[in-house]
Structures are given as structure tokens and as C-alpha cells.
Amino acid sequence: MTTTISLDSAAPARLDVDALVIGVVPTGRDGDGVRPAAGAEGVDEALGGRLTDALRAVGATGKAEEVTRVPTLGALPAPLIVAVGLGESPDAEALRRAAGAAVRALAGTRRAAVALPAATAGEVEAVALGALLGNYAFHEFRTGDRKDPVEQLTVVASADGGQQALDRARTLAEAVCLVRDLVNTPPSHLTPDDLARTAERVASETGLGIEILDDKALAEGGYGGLVGVGQGSVNPPRLVRLAYRHPEAQRTLALVGKGITFDSGGLSLKPSESMAWMKSDMGGAGAVLGALSAIARLGVKVNAVGYLALAENMPSGTAQRPSDVLRVYGGKTVEVLNTDAEGRLVLADALVRAGEDDPDLLVDVATLTGAQIVALGTRTAGVMANDDDLREKVVAAARDAGEAFWGMPLPAELRKGLDSAVADIANISGERWGGMLVAGVFLKEFVRDGLRWAHLDIAGPSFNQGEPHGYTPKGGTGAATRALVRIAEDLAAGSL
């Protein structure tokens, strides 16, 4: 990230910036009033007590994420006030979204100060993180017609622990934006080897250990899922293992990410309209890489390993065929009835391998099923686990991190639909119902007995095809990155 961010305890009305962001909340019984929120002290006075009237005159309501611009006409050093709605009962997520919406609206501005409620370290982190995430833009392939992000951001606050909170927000934002960049990068520029080399660079920068298995090593090692999915492409598969160790760690977390750098569906070809955004099918691997980079930089007291299962799923004369049988790592055989159900095949290899690290908790994250979007929409991820208490704790950890996850079951009766006449298991069921759950049931077969495991399906939340909202841009979102970091912190603390 090229944006700089700092704290300033000065009165907001005195800051010499190009735009000043303040919060507003609705007032009045009928919701037709508005007033400045905490953090904007002194601004109304500097405007001669006319701020509320000015906000009403331009239609401000205080509705969450509503952005209203008011010129200061020389009354403040800042020529522009940007008032963002916080809603009626703003919490940390409301602050994140408000800061993101306001800063995103200031694209093309050089200097901006954000004076939202920030009386505690937690509020400072929320405001700073929302501002940084809302300031994101992916301009790698644009040669013109672009508005660059705000260059200098200032968070107005004097809370105890504010600087540490700001530093943490910066670390989380850098991790999320790394994932967004990877998801937004076109497949012409992000093959499995490209992503593996990016992981190598991140590992070097953060002190992570790294091992990369190429296609020859995968074949020799018996990683039939990765080899099978990748055999139709001229860009061969990779398995990346990342490792972080803390000298005081008492628990080990294993993370596994699906990394299909482009998913055509293979010979079970997708419709063209479904294929257009399949550069995002590596969002799970991206989230694991981003999370491990943040875990290392934050010094979380946990040992963590991460596996990026990387392949490109393409149709060709060498591609796997429907009815082929693969032998995944560990020896179990899988009948491939649909080559577009490829993510679960590469995850099977990585889940078995991750189990050999004897972790206290295994979590996989994947853009796995369209059924997740049908069931939960585009903003809420699904969580399945082999332990109900674990599932709810993962949901709570994600919520605390500001991400929307929802617990889902793994009905035992769905396993019968995966029976195969020729192999140990088929990769799809003969029934169309409960596809998200069926995929989870399939993955559960590759988790060793006694190992606590959770599966995160982020198919919808990983890529925003609609308009930007809050701190979420169009395109790659970095979904699950913050949740994985919080899961690591909760495991380290013994609460998960």
C-alpha cells in the first residue's frame, strides 16, 4: 500500500487537509433530523453553529454509509467537509463501513482527515482499518481514466493505545489488500507458478518458512488431486507450504486454501457468463497467504502452517475426463464425475497433508460452490465443521473481525450420495440439493479422525460483482483474511 496513515490529536477544525470526514447520526422522532457524532467537536463552532442546518439543507439523514459533502467556504483550513452517516447505533463494523465509504468517495484527493468516534483503541482500529480498506484501488492495468487513492490519511484520536491500534489496522489492511490484488490479477498474469513465486516473496518479507512442490514432485508424492486438475493446462500445478513459528506458542493452526488460478470447468465446461470472474477462484489460497503474512507481522503466539493448493482447470487433450479415477494424497480414490467440481480435489490432497502436521485446529477456505451463493447470498460465507461448538466459535471469531459468516450443518445422510461404483468416493452427488453441504461432507472424508476441522465456503463474498459498499470495493474483497487472523488469535488465547 502506498497510502500513509497517522494519528493526530489536534482539534479537527484546525487540520490543514483537503477534506475532513466527520460522522453524523439521525435524530428526531421521525428520523428527519441529523447531528454531528462524537469526533467532530469544534467543527460546528468553527462554522458559526450552522453545520446542522447545512447538513439538513443538502439532504443528510445520518443513514449508515450515506456520504454528504459540505463546503466550508474558508471557515476551516479544510475546504470540504465530508459527512458520513453512522446509523442509529454505530458499532465497530458501522465505523469501519462509514470510514470506508467516506474515504472511497474522496478518490483523487491528496490529504484527508477522518474525525469519526475514536475514543478507544478498538474504535481507532475500526476507523483506521475501514479508511485503509475503503481507500483501495486496483490500477495495475489502467493507463488512464483513473482516480488514485488518498495519499495521506490522518485519524483524529487521542485514545490510549491508539498507535498500536493504528499499526494493527495497517497490518490487517496490507494483508487484505494483498489478497485483493491477487484476486483482481488476470489469469494471464497469475498462473500457479506466479502465485507460488508471490508466496515466496511474501515469505521472504515476513520471515515465513516456505516449501514449493512443482508438478514433478506432486506426481512423485502421490498428490493425485492437484495433478489431475492441473493436467489439462500448460501451466502446471503447485503446492505451497508456508510455516510460522512463535517461541511461546502452545498450539498449532493449519490453514488450507483452494487456489484455482482460473477455472474454466475443465471438460465439464462452464457457461461463458459463469467463467468471466473465475480468476477469483484462488481467493481461498490468497486469504491463507494474506492471513499468514499478518499473523507473522503481528507476532501471534501460535504456530501456523498454510497450504496453497494451486492449479489451473482447463480443457484440452490431456485434461482429466468425467469418470476418471484419481488417487489423492494418502491413497483414497475419487471418481471424477464432474471436472468442474475440482476445488474439492485439490483441497483433498492438502487436507490430508496438513493433517500430518498434527495441528490443534485445521481450517480450509475456498470459493467452493455456487450453492453457497444460492443459500447465503454474496456477502455471507458458510461455515461447516466436524464439531458444532467449533463451528459456532469460528462464526463468532469472524463476526468479531467484521466478517459475515453463518454456521451450516454437515448432514450424515448426504454421504450416501457420494458413493461410487468404482472408487472410494465420487466428487459430486447424484442429487442437486444441498450442494454446499455435500461439498463439505466430501472434504470431511479427508480429515483424519480426532482432528478439529472447519470449512469456510467464501464463493460469494470473495468477489464483489456489484457496486462498492462500505469498505468493500468492486472485484476482489479479501474475504476471510481477517477472520483467519482472528481464529489464530483466539486459538493462541485458548478460547477456540
Side-chain angles (χ1 to χ4, degrees):
M1 296 179 67
T2 57
T3 299
T4 62
I5 187 167
S6 60
L7 282 180
D8 197 323
S9 59
R14 297 179 181 177
L15 293 175
D16 185 11
V17 291
D18 300 313
L20 174 64
V21 176
I22 65 169
V24 293
V25 295
T27 61
R29 188 171 300 174
D30 298 323
D32 57 354
V34 64
R35 64 172 174 81
E41 291 82 6
V43 176
D44 186 42
E45 182 181 351
L47 293 174
R50 295 171 295 173
L51 177 58
T52 299
D53 291 339
L55 290 169
R56 288 174 177 165
V58 293
T61 66
K63 180 181 177 182
E65 301 179 38
E66 174 190 72
V67 175
T68 305
R69 298 169 184 261
V70 178
T72 66
L73 303 177
L76 275 68
L80 180 68
I81 291 174
V82 175
V84 60
L86 302 179
E88 294 185 358
S89 302
D91 56 9
E93 179 62 5
L95 291 176
R96 279 188 287 265
R97 293 182 180 182
V103 173
R104 177 164 43 81
L106 288 171
T109 303
R110 194 169 73 86
R111 300 172 304 159
V114 184
L116 297 181
T120 66
E123 290 177 339
V124 171
E125 180 185 328
V127 171
L129 181 57
L132 287 168
L133 294 180
N135 201 37
Y136 173 83
F138 185 72
H139 289 159
E140 181 69 21
F141 299 94
R142 285 191 179 275
T143 58
D145 188 26
R146 52 186 270 184
K147 286 187 177 181
D148 291 326
V150 178
E151 293 180 21
Q152 298 175 23
L153 285 169
T154 300
V155 175
V156 182
S158 57
D160 291 341
Q163 187 59 52
Q164 294 91 329
L166 188 81
D167 293 341
R168 175 181 167 83
R170 184 189 294 110
T171 297
L172 291 173
E174 288 174 349
V176 172
C177 291
L178 165 66
V179 183
R180 289 176 175 181
D181 282 349
L182 291 171
V183 171
N184 286 328
T185 299
S188 55
H189 291 68
L190 193 73
T191 65
D193 188 62
D194 290 331
L195 185 45
R197 297 306 160 196
T198 298
E200 198 169 44
R201 172 182 60 78
V202 172
S204 176
E205 293 171 352
T206 58
L208 295 170
I210 186 167
E211 177 186 7
I212 300 174
L213 299 184
D214 63 13
D215 49 317
K216 293 181 181 178
L218 291 171
E220 292 172 359
Y223 293 88
L226 278 157
V227 171
V229 173
Q231 71 188 41
S233 173
V234 296
N235 299 306
R238 298 286 187 267
L239 180 64
V240 178
R241 182 183 186 273
L242 298 160
Y244 163 75
R245 296 190 64 81
H246 192 283
E248 300 177 34
Q250 297 182 349
R251 298 173 181 83
T252 297
L253 171 66
L255 302 175
V256 170
K258 172 188 172 183
I260 304 300
T261 57
F262 185 74
D263 182 18
S264 69
L267 291 180
S268 303
L269 198 67
K270 292 179 182 289
S272 58
E273 63 272 14
S274 299
M275 209 185 299
W277 57 294
M278 282 300 101
K279 65 180 182 179
S280 69
D281 212 18
M282 40 59 61
V288 170
L289 176 59
L292 276 170
S293 73
I295 289 168
R297 286 187 165 121
L298 292 171
V300 181
K301 293 181 181 180
V302 70
N303 292 328
V305 292
Y307 289 88
L308 316 183
L310 311 178
E312 186 176 60
N313 188 25
M314 299 291 284
S316 73
T318 61
Q320 64 177 346
R321 296 147 293 215
S323 77
D324 277 358
V325 173
L326 306 178
R327 188 178 299 276
V328 303
Y329 185 76
K332 189 168 290 189
T333 57
V334 181
E335 183 181 13
V336 181
L337 297 180
N338 187 318
T339 65
D340 193 25
E342 85 299 328
R344 62 200 70 183
L345 301 177
V346 303
L347 287 175
D349 278 340
L351 285 169
V352 177
R353 174 61 186 88
E356 295 179 350
D357 290 306
D358 196 27
D360 296 281
L361 175 62
L362 171 60
V363 178
D364 77 78
V365 55
T367 52
L368 203 60
T369 66
Q372 179 274 320
I373 305 174
V374 173
L376 296 175
T378 59
R379 298 192 187 184
T380 303
V383 181
M384 288 140 273
N386 58 3
D387 178 280
D388 290 347
D389 182 60
L390 170 63
R391 180 191 63 218
E392 296 313 307
K393 286 181 177 179
V394 168
V395 171
R399 181 183 63 244
D400 291 343
E403 300 204 63
F405 282 53
W406 194 260
M408 302 295 289
L410 287 175
E413 66 272 15
L414 295 180
R415 173 59 181 86
K416 183 172 179 56
L418 294 170
D419 285 348
S420 166
V422 298
D424 295 327
I425 193 171
N427 76 325
I428 63 167
S429 171
E431 298 182 357
R432 62 177 294 196
W433 316 115
M436 172 174 56
L437 312 183
V438 170
V441 169
F442 176 91
L443 294 178
K444 185 173 181 288
E445 293 287 310
F446 299 90
V447 178
R448 66 169 173 77
D449 291 343
L451 175 55
R452 294 195 308 152
W453 159 76
H455 161 56
L456 316 182
D457 193 335
I458 61 169
S462 69
F463 195 82
N464 177 25
Q465 298 186 75
E467 291 302 311
H469 54 90
Y471 52 78
T472 301
K474 187 177 181 67
T477 65
T481 307
R482 291 179 292 147
L484 294 179
V485 173
R486 183 56 62 93
I487 286 169
E489 292 172 329
D490 286 354
L491 183 65
S495 58
L496 198 155

